[in-house]
Amino acid sequence: MKRPVVSSEEEVPLPTNEAVPLPEASIFDIIPQKQQPAPVTLEPRALAFLREHFPAAEEKDWANWKWQLSNSITSLDKLSSIVNLSKDETRALSGKGGVLPLRITPHYASLLAKNDPRQPIRRSVIPVTAEHQHCFGEAADPLHEENDSPVSGIVHRYPDRVLFLATGFCSAYCRYCTRSRMVGDANRMHQFSTKIWDEAIDYIRRTSTIRDVLISGGDPLTMPDAKIEYLLSALRKIEHVEILRIGTKIPAVLPQRITPKLVNLLKKYHPLFVSIHFTHPDEVTPEVAQACMRLADAGIPLGSQTVLLKGINDDVPTMARLFHQLLKIRVRPYYLYQCDPIVGSGHFRTTVEKGLEIIQGLRGHTSGYAIPQFVVDAPGGGGKTPLLPDYWQGRDAEYVYVKNYEGNLYRYPNIQRPLEK
Ligand SMILES: *Cc1c(COP(=O)(O)O)cnc(C)c1O
């Protein structure tokens, strides 16, 4: 019998300490017996964290994604009982704050370094006062998504595909969020009602050039199964919609959400792709690995999206480690993003040259599968624009000159002229 490590469904009965007598197996037993729920086993790290910070809760609670959501850390008080906050973090949390609320799942909180405010994943979810600073070139909606929105909840920027903003809720709020203008705002949740959804679905239905729908938000996998199914089945019924995609950080911050039930639901809507937001190799825990394996086993191609962040993942060894770990859990690095200039992102942003340097440090040195496309999402609504280090060295009438990954110059015969006899 398989023992689930991370997920338990809410309707699973309490595990008991009594040994449950199983009926004697017989080769004539053709009717499958209803399996007794397996006891939940937690990672030692998770178990120690649970005992220390949620003493009243049980192991099966930890493994339940709804418990994780309702016990997420949203207040300075709770957070300060878990990590020793720096003066700056405390100040950022006690002031009137920026636009983005605090929210960290217990799972993700169990990975935070108690005493190190410089820890990469800690910086990605705990605000600092620099977040309240408005720097050069920053805007609330730098990608002008609102300008490319024909109906509420849809961003239609490219000819054949749309972004479907299904919810404004996330299980954890990344401080550098490109949609911090709209996520986590209780006053905007009405913008994601089913009436708004139906209008968005209708737009896709009557726009026959749309062959690809990317469902994002907010994090669509924070929604109940029934809502996810409503959306997927409505979109799947549209003939010209060829592929569906979900953009999510759930497998990294709330792996308990990837239940067998959810995976069975998702796989009814193939071809379905999932893009997972990963920031740092510290996120790739055994629970996360299991969540990704489940999705991959359901035939869902998994890609990753990573934002280049100063002091968090802006060096070749960290990125190489992240991308290698992702490949091991069957996630193919898809995009590396230059950090969007949202208001308050100055302390996270580094130069475009840094991104190029990282790509140069990977290409040729490691598996091509471990190398995402580096893109700048052009402010003003220009869209994702790929950038490459200077491999191209120019051309003349006969040759193209290229520099390889070791910096050596080569030439390629770029015309097809028969040799003279
Ligand atoms: C990123 C994005 C997409 C999807 O782009 P791909 O390059 O196909 O992954 C679609 N619409 C919008 C508005 C986007 O920002």
Side-chain angles (χ1 to χ4, degrees):
M1 188 166 68
K2 270 207 162 151
R3 288 157 63 90
V5 180
V6 296
S7 302
S8 83
E9 283 288 297
E10 54 281 9
E11 54 272 19
V12 169
L14 289 167
T16 65
N17 292 325
E18 297 157 62
V20 181
L22 288 171
E24 288 229 334
S26 147
I27 50 163
F28 302 110
D29 242 3
I30 48 160
I31 301 160
Q33 297 290 326
K34 194 166 163 31
Q35 294 247 319
Q36 289 298 322
V40 172
T41 37
L42 299 189
E43 285 296 306
R45 179 207 77 250
L47 187 59
F49 187 86
L50 176 70
R51 295 265 186 272
E52 185 181 352
H53 297 291
F54 299 92
E58 296 175 44
E59 290 169 50
K60 66 158 184 61
D61 295 327
W62 182 272
N64 185 326
W65 68 277
K66 291 183 180 169
W67 181 92
Q68 289 271 337
L69 271 189
S70 52
N71 287 276
S72 288
I73 292 107
T74 56
S75 72
L76 169 61
D77 269 2
K78 185 67 184 172
L79 186 59
S80 61
S81 74
I82 290 172
V83 297
N84 290 320
L85 291 170
S86 71
K87 274 203 189 98
D88 189 71
E89 287 169 327
T90 307
R91 210 141 57 86
L93 282 160
S94 41
K96 70 171 162 47
V99 285
L100 201 60
L102 173 79
R103 181 174 272 280
I104 305 169
T105 57
H107 165 81
Y108 208 73
S110 78
L111 305 175
L112 300 182
K114 194 167 182 147
N115 295 310
D116 181 11
R118 306 294 306 164
Q119 185 208 21
I121 59 169
R122 176 161 159 170
R123 291 189 53 206
S124 76
V125 288
I126 300 183
V128 291
T129 55
E131 197 174 289
H132 305 153
Q133 217 163 65
H134 192 148
C135 291
F136 169 77
E138 292 179 351
D141 178 20
L143 309 182
H144 286 194
E145 290 190 332
E146 314 272 344
N147 302 29
D148 277 337
S149 180
V151 293
S152 207
I154 294 281
V155 182
H156 193 175
R157 165 157 309 152
Y158 305 106
D160 68 342
R161 55 208 188 281
V162 291
L163 181 61
F164 192 114
L165 303 173
T167 173
F169 182 80
C170 278
S171 62
Y173 290 116
C174 307
R175 307 321 299 178
Y176 48 84
C177 177
T178 188
R179 296 209 184 90
S180 51
R181 70 174 190 281
M182 56 160 273
V183 300
D185 183 351
N187 297 323
R188 286 184 76 138
M189 291 303 170
H190 65 277
Q191 296 181 357
F192 305 100
S193 67
T194 28
K195 182 176 167 286
I196 301 281
W197 271 19
D198 288 343
E199 283 162 22
I201 293 165
D202 195 53
Y203 174 79
I204 296 169
R205 193 179 294 121
R206 58 176 203 266
T207 314
S208 59
T209 51
I210 300 170
R211 39 160 294 286
D212 174 359
V213 179
L214 167 52
I215 303 164
S216 184
D219 197 322
L221 294 186
T222 58
M223 303 190 299
D225 289 358
K227 280 198 89 171
I228 296 172
E229 180 134 46
Y230 178 91
L231 186 52
L232 291 175
S233 65
L235 292 171
R236 201 21 102 215
K237 282 192 197 108
I238 303 172
E239 226 162 274
H240 54 263
V241 173
E242 296 171 2
I243 66 166
L244 297 171
R245 299 195 251 176
I246 292 176
T248 178
K249 196 175 168 73
I250 280 286
V253 290
L254 184 57
Q256 293 82 2
R257 175 69 183 99
I258 310 300
T259 59
K261 196 160 154 247
L262 175 67
V263 168
N264 283 331
L265 181 168
L266 295 177
K267 76 180 190 193
K268 290 194 290 179
Y269 299 98
H270 275 315
L272 173 76
F273 293 65
V274 171
S275 288
I276 311 170
H277 176 191
F278 277 104
T279 298
H280 191 274
D282 285 358
E283 293 176 332
V284 187
T285 67
E287 298 96 322
V288 171
Q290 195 201 43
C292 291
M293 300 284 202
R294 273 188 185 162
L295 292 166
D297 279 348
I300 301 171
L302 303 177
S304 71
Q305 316 201 71
T306 298
V307 181
L308 176 63
L309 298 167
K310 187 159 69 185
I312 291 180
N313 59 18
D314 60 342
D315 61 90
V316 175
T318 303
M319 286 291 194
R321 212 149 43 86
L322 173 62
F323 299 146
H324 289 159
Q325 301 230 53
L326 292 180
L327 285 184
K328 279 161 60 181
I329 61 171
R330 297 152 74 190
V331 178
R332 161 77 158 102
Y334 181 48
Y335 278 135
L336 173 64
Y337 293 100
Q338 183 67 19
C339 185
D340 293 327
I342 57 144
V343 175
S345 64
H347 59 303
F348 282 125
R349 286 185 291 117
T350 178
T351 58
V352 172
E353 287 88 339
K354 179 54 86 174
L356 291 172
E357 184 190 309
I358 287 168
I359 295 301
Q360 185 151 29
L362 295 172
R363 174 61 63 190
H365 301 277
T366 190
S367 322
Y369 269 119
I371 308 168
Q373 180 82 60
F374 175 51
V375 293
V376 177
D377 214 331
K384 296 181 184 72
T385 306
L387 290 174
L388 276 177
D390 291 329
Y391 298 116
W392 171 275
Q393 296 288 306
R395 62 165 299 153
D396 59 22
E398 292 167 328
Y399 291 102
V400 160
Y401 298 85
V402 296
K403 219 184 228 176
N404 81 339
Y405 76 103
E406 296 164 304
N408 303 324
L409 194 64
Y410 295 85
R411 60 184 193 181
Y412 174 84
N414 203 32
I415 52 170
Q416 298 77 35
R417 181 183 66 218
L419 284 178
E420 284 136 39
K421 292 259 165 68

